[in-house]
Amino acid sequence: MTSGGKSKGVGSEPGVKVIAENRRARFDYTVDEKLEAGLALTGSEVKSLRDGIANLSDSYALPKGDEMFLHNANIGSYKAASFFDHLPTRGRKLLMHRGEIDRWAAKVRERGYSIIPLVLYFRKGRAKVELGLCRGKTHEDRRQDIKERETKREMDRAMRRR
């Protein structure tokens, strides 16, 4: 049985616990490619994520040398960590293959793409982030998306009436 017409995303897989989703990214950007990357985290950050204290709005990834870093992702502080706590918006290293980093870094440099985190989740106990290679939408693109959504709704209504 299908999931009621919803698209299959990261959260619909077994063994995956979604922590945070960047819904605004799909409105502001056109996602051309997606990629799963691991995160290098401290212990207090992992505990905060298990409690669901995270926010991906205004976050982005940038290549720095041979590595990729996630910037501005807000992982809230863990109350019980006291002295050994972390900075909520520090840069976090993304765990990716060298070929993927090089390919995406070239697209960011040459073609004006941005790397935006779409979903933050746990898969088999490991913190992962789904990154999107995105291009900013123009006003016309947004209007086109709204028009497509409206026509789809009208078609669904007409099908239900019959």
Side-chain angles (χ1 to χ4, degrees):
M1 188 166 169
T2 62
S3 61
K6 291 185 180 180
S7 64
K8 292 216 174 206
V10 173
S12 63
E13 298 175 25
V16 173
K17 179 188 172 198
V18 175
I19 300 156
E21 200 171 344
N22 191 353
R23 293 178 183 215
R24 187 75 189 173
R26 304 222 187 256
F27 181 76
D28 290 335
Y29 299 96
T30 302
V31 180
D32 290 345
E33 281 183 57
K34 291 181 190 175
L35 180 73
E36 180 182 82
L39 286 164
L41 301 172
T42 63
S44 60
E45 288 172 327
V46 175
K47 297 254 187 183
S48 291
L49 289 179
R50 292 205 187 283
D51 286 346
I53 308 170
N55 188 353
L56 289 178
S57 62
D58 299 331
S59 59
Y60 57 95
L62 279 179
K64 185 177 180 182
D66 291 339
E67 299 173 333
M68 187 82 69
F69 287 89
L70 182 64
H71 296 280
N72 231 19
N74 191 345
I75 297 177
S77 60
Y78 184 62
K79 304 260 189 280
S82 66
F83 183 72
F84 300 102
D85 206 10
H86 61 275
L87 296 172
T89 57
R90 74 175 184 91
R92 293 168 179 91
K93 184 177 174 181
L94 292 170
L95 307 174
M96 300 168 62
H97 291 287
R98 172 61 51 82
E100 294 168 343
I101 293 172
D102 293 342
R103 189 169 50 86
W104 279 36
K107 287 186 179 182
V108 167
R109 268 193 309 271
E110 296 168 8
R111 300 191 194 125
Y113 280 99
S114 300
I115 301 173
I116 307 294
L118 304 174
V119 184
L120 183 62
Y121 56 94
F122 279 107
R123 179 189 302 256
K124 298 180 183 172
R126 309 260 186 213
K128 305 283 185 180
V129 63
E130 183 178 76
L131 299 172
L133 190 62
C134 303
R135 180 171 288 167
K137 283 186 183 178
T138 62
H139 183 68
E140 291 79 21
D141 293 338
R142 288 192 188 104
R143 292 183 91 172
Q144 184 65 31
D145 287 348
I146 292 169
K147 189 185 286 185
E148 288 173 8
R149 195 170 39 224
E150 289 296 320
T151 55
K152 185 179 182 310
R153 265 190 211 140
E154 288 176 18
M155 286 174 31
D156 288 345
R157 283 187 198 130
M159 294 298 284
R160 273 189 259 131
R161 285 184 199 137
R162 287 185 178 186

